[in-house]
Amino acid sequence: DGLDAAAALEAQGEADERLVATYRAALGCYEGPFLQAFTSHEAWCDRERERLAHRFAEGALRLARLLAAQGDDAGCLDWCSRLLAQEPLTEEAHRLLMLAHYRQGDRAAALRTYDRCVVLLSDELDIDPMPETQRLAKRIEAGEAGP
C-alpha cells in the first residue's frame, strides 16, 4: 500500500518531496475509524479498526518528523494536529507540535501544547511527560529552543 511505499523510500534514504507526497497521498486515504457507523462490533472489525488506526498514526508521525526536519512547520503542525485528533496521547507529536509553534514565533501556543500534554498524560495515564518533553518546554520558556 501507499504507506509501505513511503516506508520503502524512506529506508532507501529518500527525504525529498517525492517521499512527502507519497506519505500525504497514503495518509489522505484514511477516513477515520474503520466502519465507524456500525455499532455492532465483530472482533474482526475491531482488530481491523485498530490496525488501520495504528498504521495512520505511525505514518502521520513519520510524515510530521520528516516535515519538521525539512523546516516545514506549517505541514508539521497540520499532521501533528491530525494525529493528535486520533491519538491524543502520542507524546512525540506533542513535542513536534511544540517545536513547530515555537519556530513559527508562537511561544504561547507551544507552551499551551505542553500544558495540554501534561494534563492528558496525567488524566489518562497518571504519568508525567518524558524528560525530553519537559526539557523542550523549559527551553521554549527560556526562548532557547532551536531548530
Side-chain angles (χ1 to χ4, degrees):
D1 71 6
L3 287 175
D4 290 337
L9 285 173
E10 196 170 8
Q12 295 171 7
E14 296 289 332
D16 59 9
E17 280 306 309
R18 189 172 116 203
L19 177 58
V20 169
T22 304
Y23 268 119
R24 283 187 169 145
L27 292 167
C29 296
Y30 185 73
E31 297 177 357
F34 178 68
L35 295 178
Q36 181 176 2
F38 293 95
T39 55
S40 66
H41 302 292
E42 299 285 334
W44 72 266
C45 183
D46 290 339
R47 283 191 304 276
E48 185 63 6
R49 181 177 295 116
E50 289 175 24
R51 185 186 75 77
L52 292 172
H54 176 74
R55 296 270 296 158
F56 172 80
E58 183 180 88
L61 188 56
R62 289 178 110 148
L63 177 57
R65 278 187 209 126
L66 179 64
L67 294 169
Q70 292 178 346
D72 183 352
D73 295 319
C76 181
L77 285 169
D78 179 43
W79 283 101
C80 284
S81 296
R82 290 182 197 202
L83 170 56
L84 290 169
Q86 299 288 323
E87 297 289 337
L89 299 175
T90 308
E91 193 170 344
E92 184 179 355
H94 285 280
R95 279 194 305 275
L96 289 168
L97 196 60
M98 290 165 59
L99 189 56
H101 278 304
Y102 180 79
R103 292 192 321 193
Q104 286 191 324
D106 196 345
R107 192 168 105 190
L111 294 172
R112 282 192 308 271
T113 299
Y114 176 71
D115 290 341
R116 276 192 305 275
C117 178
V118 169
V119 169
L120 279 167
L121 293 173
S122 176
D123 289 353
E124 297 294 322
L125 303 174
D126 197 26
I127 62 171
D128 292 326
M130 289 188 258
E132 60 197 284
T133 306
Q134 293 176 31
R135 282 191 299 273
L136 177 59
K138 287 178 183 169
R139 287 181 22 234
I140 289 170
E141 281 180 327
E144 299 170 354

